[in-house]
Structures are given as C-alpha cells and as structure tokens.
C-alpha cells in the first residue's frame, strides 16, 4: 500500500506569500523615522502616550494579518495531520499487544536469571553480614551478562571483603567499632575513619579527665593551705604544732644523751591535730614549729 498525495501535488504547495513588502517596508521606515527625531519634553507626556498607542496599533495590524494567513495555510495541514493520526492509531494497537507479550517474556527471563543468581550466591560462601541484596548489580539481570561473569565478580568481592576485614582487625584501637561500621557500609576508608574518630574521642576524654583531676588536686591543695592559715590565726597553740602542708624536713640528730630530734609533716583534721598535741603534752614530748 502506498500513501499518495493527490492535492496539492508535490510542486503545488504554497512556496511563497506574495505581497507588497518593499512598499510597506519603505512607508513604515519613513514613518517611524519621524518618531526617532522627536525630542519630547516633560510636559508632552500626553503626546508621547498618543504616539506610542498609534505605533502599537500599526504593529497590531500587521500581526493580525500574519496570524490570519498562518491559520489559512495551516488549516489543510492540520486536517491532514489528524487524518494520519487516526490511521497510525490503528497500527499502534497491535504494536502495544506485541510489546506487552515481549515484556512478559522478558520478565519471566529475569525471574529465572534472578533464581540462578541466588543459587550461585549461596555457593560462594560470603561472610554472614553480606546479603545478595547488598551486592546485587542490576546489570546482572541483563541477558548479555553470563553467570560465569557474575560468579567472577562475586568471588572478587568475597576476596576484597576478607582482606578489608583483616585490615580492620589489625587496627590498634577500636577495631570492633570500625568493623561494625564496615558491616553496614562495606567501605574500608569509612570504617577506618570511624575507628580513628572514636580513638580521638577517647584521647580527648582521657585528657579532659586528667585535666579535671589536676584541677581538683590543685583546688584541694589550696583549700588545705587556706585551712592551715586559718588554724594558725585562730589558735596560737595549734600554730606551735607542725602545720599542714609545710615543707617536709626530716632529720635525726641527738640533742642530749637520751633525746633525739625528729621533724615531720602531719595531715589531719583540727580535732586530730589537737588530739596529737594533747598526747605529746601528756607524754612530755617537746614540740614546736619547723622554721
């Protein structure tokens, strides 16, 4: 069957719209030239608006004629286009039926290929945290990708995962946390970065705790010195006892035939120091402040 155009014939289509283009063009050019030379003043706003309206009216006249001729020229084509679409719609119906059957055949093929891939996955021996869904490449379902190729890619992945797990287990710190991250991402660099991040947090925590301990010790030392100073100011007798936090000087030398001298530091509460003072007085032990 041949599609034949009987009217118009091939050389019968409208090839040019003939009109007095040059005459109209010259007339319009001369007219707009007058407007180009007009120097309007601020009090001529009404004249400016009137001239603009005249020019827009002239332009609209040409545009209206252009649109009218376009509609006339397009009317036969639009009818022809609609007639052709009615015929192609008849052809589209069996095409769609064939496409539907082809889609069903392709879907059954993919389902069979999916089952073969699942069976192959079970023979590779992947780690427990590796599932087929995580490593499945949609391209594996293409008819052009063979099972041998898929098996090769699976084994390469198995080897890579094993190597990377060994690398993570060899980390000096936080290898467990890094491995847990790797199980979720299968990304070695990300897992190592996570392990390093946790290690840095632990170091900062340790530094913080050490600094807090140092601050607490310094505060305790200052409080002890302040307490000693207050005790010395409030009790002259306690001042004669060895004050808390004085420099330790330990020496032992004979003072008399049966006496020795021993300087030392005592830490205790006010009650304990008073009790020690009373003990030394009761036992006639001579004591005094260490200069």
């Amino acid at each position: 069957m041949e599609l034949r155009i009987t009217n118009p014939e091939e050389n019968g289509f409208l090839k040019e719209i003939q009109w007095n283009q040059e005459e109209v063009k010259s007339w319009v050019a001369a007219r707009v030239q007058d407007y180009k030379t007009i120097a309007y003043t601020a009090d001529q706003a009404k004249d400016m608006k009137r001239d603009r309206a005249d020019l827009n009216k002239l332009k609209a006249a040409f545009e209206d004629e252009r649109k009218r001729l376009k509609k006339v020229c397009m009317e036969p084509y639009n009818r022809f286009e609609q007639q052709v679409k009615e015929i192609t719609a008849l052809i589209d119906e069996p095409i769609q039926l064939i496409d539907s059957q082809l889609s069903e055949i392709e879907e059954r093929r993919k389902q069979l290929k999916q089952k073969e891939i699942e069976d192959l996955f079970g023979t590779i021996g992947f780690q427990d945290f590796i599932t087929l869904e995580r490593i499945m490449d949609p391209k594996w379902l293409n008819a052009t990708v063979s099972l041998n190729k898929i098996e090769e890619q699976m084994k390469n992945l198995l080897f890579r995962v094993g190597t990377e797990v060994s690398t993570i287990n060899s980390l000096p710190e936080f290898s467990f946390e890094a491995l847990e991250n790797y199980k979720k991402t299968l990304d070695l660099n990300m897992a190592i970065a996570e392990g390093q991040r946790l290690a840095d947090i632990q170091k900062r925590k340790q530094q913080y705790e050490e600094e807090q301990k140092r601050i607490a010790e310094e505060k305790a030392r200052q409080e002890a010195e302040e307490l000693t100073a207050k005790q010395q100011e409030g009790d002259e007798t306690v001042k004669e006892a060895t004050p808390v936090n004085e420099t330790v000087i330990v020496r032992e030398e004979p003072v008399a035939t049966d006496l020795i001298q021993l300087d030392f530091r005592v830490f205790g509460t006010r009650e304990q120091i008073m009790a020690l003072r009373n003990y030394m007085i009761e036992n006639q032990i001579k004591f005094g402040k260490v200069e």
Side-chain angles (χ1 to χ4, degrees):
M1 182 62 186
E2 178 185 1
L3 174 61
R4 294 189 301 273
I5 305 297
T6 58
N7 182 33
E9 298 180 356
E10 182 177 353
N11 58 356
F13 282 101
L14 180 63
K15 296 182 179 180
E16 182 180 2
I17 297 176
Q18 298 178 354
W19 59 295
N20 58 336
Q21 176 189 7
E22 293 301 327
E23 180 183 358
V24 174
K25 183 177 180 182
S26 298
W27 179 81
V28 172
R31 187 171 181 182
V32 298
Q33 184 64 33
D34 295 338
Y35 291 100
K36 292 180 181 180
T37 58
I38 296 177
Y40 294 100
T41 60
D43 58 352
Q44 291 180 305
K46 291 184 178 180
D47 295 336
M48 296 167 64
K49 292 180 180 179
R50 184 187 65 249
D51 292 343
R52 183 183 61 182
D54 290 342
L55 291 171
N56 283 331
K57 183 177 180 181
L58 178 61
K59 178 182 177 182
F62 285 106
E63 284 295 311
D64 291 343
E65 186 64 13
R66 177 186 64 78
K67 294 176 181 178
R68 185 187 70 82
L69 287 177
K70 180 180 179 180
K71 182 178 179 181
V72 170
C73 293
M74 291 299 297
E75 281 181 356
Y77 169 77
N78 291 335
R79 286 194 299 271
F80 171 72
E81 181 181 44
Q82 182 61 34
Q83 293 166 354
V84 170
K85 286 183 177 180
E86 291 176 0
I87 295 175
T88 56
L90 298 175
I91 303 173
D92 286 339
E93 184 177 357
I95 290 178
Q96 293 173 359
L97 291 174
I98 294 173
D99 287 344
S100 177
Q101 296 180 49
L102 287 174
S103 296
E104 293 178 0
I105 294 173
E106 177 65 10
E107 181 61 26
R108 287 196 296 270
R109 185 198 65 78
K110 286 185 177 181
Q111 291 176 357
L112 178 60
K113 185 75 171 290
Q114 177 71 27
K115 182 62 171 59
E116 293 174 338
I117 293 174
E118 292 174 358
D119 293 340
L120 176 62
F121 176 82
T123 65
I124 299 298
F126 276 104
Q127 295 84 348
D128 293 340
F129 58 88
I130 301 294
T131 62
L132 177 59
E133 291 74 17
R134 298 187 65 185
I135 66 171
M136 180 73 181
D137 187 343
K139 295 180 180 179
W140 288 354
L141 293 178
N142 294 344
T144 56
V145 181
S146 66
L147 284 177
N148 289 336
K149 183 65 176 178
I150 298 174
E151 181 179 8
E152 179 183 354
Q153 293 180 7
M154 285 186 178
K155 289 182 177 179
N156 289 340
L157 178 60
L158 174 68
F159 176 78
R160 177 176 69 82
V161 171
T163 301
E164 292 177 349
V165 168
S166 297
T167 300
I168 293 173
N169 287 331
S170 65
L171 294 176
E173 296 178 303
F174 295 98
S175 59
F176 175 81
E177 289 80 0
L179 181 59
E180 290 302 305
N181 180 273
Y182 179 79
K183 290 178 179 180
K184 298 176 181 178
T185 64
L186 297 183
D187 189 319
L188 177 61
N189 292 331
M190 185 180 296
I192 293 177
E194 176 66 10
Q196 183 62 49
R197 185 184 71 85
L198 294 173
D200 292 341
I201 291 175
Q202 180 62 26
K203 290 179 181 178
R204 291 197 299 271
K205 178 182 178 182
Q206 183 177 355
Q207 292 172 354
Y208 172 79
E209 291 176 347
E210 291 176 353
E211 178 65 14
Q212 294 301 308
K213 181 180 179 181
R214 184 193 66 78
I215 293 174
E217 291 175 349
E218 178 64 18
K219 182 179 179 181
R221 184 188 67 79
Q222 293 177 357
E223 291 176 349
E225 291 179 349
E226 293 175 357
L227 177 61
T228 301
K230 291 179 180 179
Q231 290 174 344
Q232 291 175 348
E233 293 175 359
D235 191 337
E236 185 64 27
T237 304
V238 175
K239 287 171 55 178
E240 295 179 356
T242 304
V244 178
N245 292 330
E246 290 290 342
T247 303
V248 177
I249 303 175
V250 179
R251 62 179 183 272
E252 184 176 326
E253 57 181 358
V255 179
T257 305
D258 56 349
L259 296 178
I260 63 172
Q261 177 176 317
L262 178 63
D263 297 335
F264 60 94
R265 176 186 295 175
V266 175
F267 296 90
T269 64
R270 178 183 179 86
E271 290 75 11
Q272 291 173 330
I273 292 176
M274 291 296 295
L276 176 61
R277 168 184 172 280
N278 293 335
Y279 172 82
M280 290 189 290
I281 292 175
E282 292 173 357
N283 290 274
Q284 299 181 353
I285 300 174
K286 182 179 179 181
F287 59 91
K289 179 179 179 182
V290 177
E291 298 295 339

